[in-house]
Amino acid sequence: MDNTFSSFNPISRTLMGPGPSDVDPRILTALAKPTIGHLDPQFIELMDQVKQLLQYAFKTENALTMPISAPGSAGMEACFANLVEPNDKVIVCQNGVFGGRMAQNVIRCGGELILIEDEWGKPTDINKLADALKTHPDAKIVAFVHAETSTGVKNDAKALCALAKQYGCLTLVDAVTSLAGVELRVDEWQIDAIYSGTQKCLSCVPGLSPVSFSPAAIDKIKARKTPVQSWFLDMQLVMEYWGEGAKRAYHHTAPVNSIYALHEALVNLHNEGLEASWLRHQRCHEQLKNGLQSMGLSLVVEQDFRLPQLNTVYIPDGVDDAKVRSCLLNEFNLEIGAGLGVLAGKVWRIGLMGYGCNERNVDYCLNSLQAALDK
Ligand SMILES: *Cc1c(COP(=O)(O)O)cnc(C)c1O
């Protein structure tokens, strides 16, 4: 093997899959700024701004709102590891891949899993949750995915949380793909624990997971009888570095430059306006939907619970899934997503997330897909 090495220079792509999404060049520039210490007073100031901006993005006043120094999956673990104690009954609503991961988390934390399943491509049936809550009045937590990236379904977070609250449960929500892409109101909807990711509608680099915990969630964490198994994700320890009025005690070395990038992404979101960002995702979705339909392609998910930022489209009969995707990648530098789980080989997933969610990209995607299909 040749053992001369040189810098890595990837061909740039247009990322229209399930994530990562296209990163705004301004965010890449922010990433290249000089690294400073993670306890430098300048960095502490930046941390405070990041917390405030995340509160804006989540629509919450929760003091414990911060990025976990690892990707969305770590935010998921942080929520479950901190809130689930051995033998706690946890209801998980599953209608895709990520709900399945939530269920795994419950089991690994020693919780008692009550699983409600709905068909992939359909939303969680609230009547099933009502039945489960009646059957299990001792349930402590209700968990579900707001934007199920594996299918393109939006679950009714507001209604599911309102119901869970009637039964005195804490609510735990996956907002990895929903944050900044569709309406999400943490305080108004009574969400107690929520996690997201930087690489979807925030169009930042992958590798951070914004989370937020309500005062009720913090009470449950503080009342734990057993310590959180994960040292790294134990929020009581993390709070001493990130928390309000914290000592800023060393816990781990924050990914300093990635936090610059997240700050820039959130400044961009704040400048555009959260509601304007939701609307832009909806507008581009309409444009994509019309284009796909006029090509004779059909969407998997019904309009009422369709995610604008993740469009699942049936692969037409006789078309080779892998061939089309590799043609798009190799000839058009365009990445779209394959189907997952039961939808593998049956659908494509077209993401319209964050910076990449614009009219020009929708046109580019439609034209490239048409060209690939014509071959
Ligand atoms: C992408 C995604 C995750 C996982 O995020 P990573 O950053 O890949 O760890 C979790 N949940 C949903 C709904 C996602 O779309």
Side-chain angles (χ1 to χ4, degrees):
M1 191 188 139
D2 180 1
N3 60 359
T4 58
F5 298 99
S6 57
S7 304
F8 178 59
N9 287 302
I11 300 168
S12 101
R13 312 280 201 195
T14 301
L15 300 177
M16 300 184 75
S21 62
D22 276 346
V23 179
D24 187 329
R26 285 169 54 183
I27 295 173
L28 292 175
T29 304
L31 201 61
K33 289 181 184 168
T35 302
I36 57 176
H38 66 286
L39 296 172
D40 186 310
Q42 295 179 86
F43 190 67
I44 303 292
E45 229 170 85
L46 181 74
M47 287 165 75
D48 285 337
Q49 284 208 6
V50 168
K51 283 165 49 174
Q52 273 177 34
L53 286 162
L54 283 176
Q55 287 172 329
Y56 168 78
F58 276 128
K59 286 194 171 285
T60 183
E61 290 182 1
N62 289 340
L64 187 54
T65 301
M66 48 153 289
I68 298 277
S69 303
S73 306
M76 180 186 282
E77 294 245 13
C79 289
F80 284 94
N82 283 275
L83 287 174
V84 180
E85 282 185 89
N87 304 316
D88 276 355
K89 263 194 192 176
V90 181
I91 301 176
V92 172
C93 310
Q94 181 187 4
N95 55 346
V97 168
F98 294 100
R101 291 187 178 181
M102 284 183 145
Q104 289 303 315
N105 268 273
V106 171
I107 293 166
R108 288 184 184 223
C109 293
E112 189 182 328
L113 172 67
I114 313 294
L115 188 65
I116 298 175
E117 288 177 275
D118 277 288
E119 211 182 306
W120 291 36
K122 295 275 189 298
T124 290
D125 179 351
I126 195 158
N127 296 316
K128 289 188 187 169
L129 177 60
D131 289 344
L133 286 162
K134 276 177 211 144
T135 315
H136 303 282
D138 53 341
K140 299 263 172 67
I141 297 169
V142 170
F144 63 88
V145 178
H146 185 205
E148 191 35 275
T149 323
S150 62
T151 64
V153 164
K154 179 173 66 181
N155 285 314
D156 189 344
K158 184 182 181 183
L160 294 170
C161 288
L163 180 61
K165 282 288 159 190
Q166 281 175 26
Y167 288 82
C169 288
L170 290 179
T171 53
L172 196 171
V173 178
D174 178 319
V176 175
T177 288
S178 61
L179 184 68
V182 284
E183 183 181 12
L184 171 63
R185 302 173 187 274
V186 168
D187 287 358
E188 210 180 302
W189 295 355
Q190 309 179 78
I191 297 171
D192 291 300
I194 191 162
Y195 57 92
S196 188
T198 41
Q199 80 281 28
K200 312 244 171 149
C201 296
L202 293 177
S203 40
C204 184
V205 287
L208 292 174
S209 177
V211 295
S212 184
F213 293 89
S214 73
I218 294 172
D219 286 347
K220 185 165 192 324
I221 295 172
K222 288 195 168 153
R224 287 182 65 101
K225 291 184 195 74
T226 51
V228 172
Q229 184 280 330
S230 165
W231 178 87
F232 182 64
L233 297 173
D234 182 341
M235 291 311 296
Q236 299 213 64
L237 300 178
V238 174
M239 270 185 259
E240 293 183 10
Y241 178 54
W242 271 98
E244 202 179 33
K247 299 192 290 283
R248 306 293 184 194
Y250 168 62
H251 176 261
H252 65 278
T253 308
V256 171
N257 293 57
S258 292
I259 302 284
Y260 300 167
L262 174 58
H263 178 264
E264 189 71 13
L266 292 167
V267 167
N268 290 345
L269 178 66
H270 191 263
N271 286 346
E272 179 181 17
L274 188 56
E275 284 79 1
S277 175
W278 298 341
L279 284 173
R280 175 168 51 83
H281 285 84
Q282 188 59 35
R283 264 201 319 275
C284 287
H285 159 74
E286 301 286 337
Q287 185 195 347
L288 180 72
K289 175 196 70 181
N290 293 338
L292 290 171
Q293 285 173 346
S294 61
M295 285 164 66
L297 298 174
S298 50
L299 297 178
V300 175
V301 179
E302 276 171 47
Q303 176 135 13
D304 288 352
F305 33 86
R306 196 183 278 157
L307 285 171
Q309 66 271 51
L310 197 286
N311 297 269
T312 333
V313 50
Y314 284 113
I315 300 171
D317 283 341
V319 169
D320 186 327
D321 170 22
K323 247 191 197 158
V324 169
R325 280 185 295 108
S326 68
C327 169
L328 290 175
L329 192 66
N330 297 323
E331 292 178 34
F332 298 93
N333 286 315
L334 173 66
E335 180 180 279
I336 65 167
L340 280 184
V342 294
L343 296 175
K346 299 194 178 118
V347 304
W348 290 311
R349 291 181 300 151
I350 302 176
L352 295 172
M353 298 186 186
Y355 177 75
C357 174
N358 59 59
E359 238 175 82
R360 189 173 33 86
N361 272 6
V362 174
D363 280 338
Y364 186 63
C365 177
L366 290 168
N367 294 335
S368 308
L369 187 58
Q370 186 64 65
L373 287 171
D374 289 344
K375 292 194 174 182

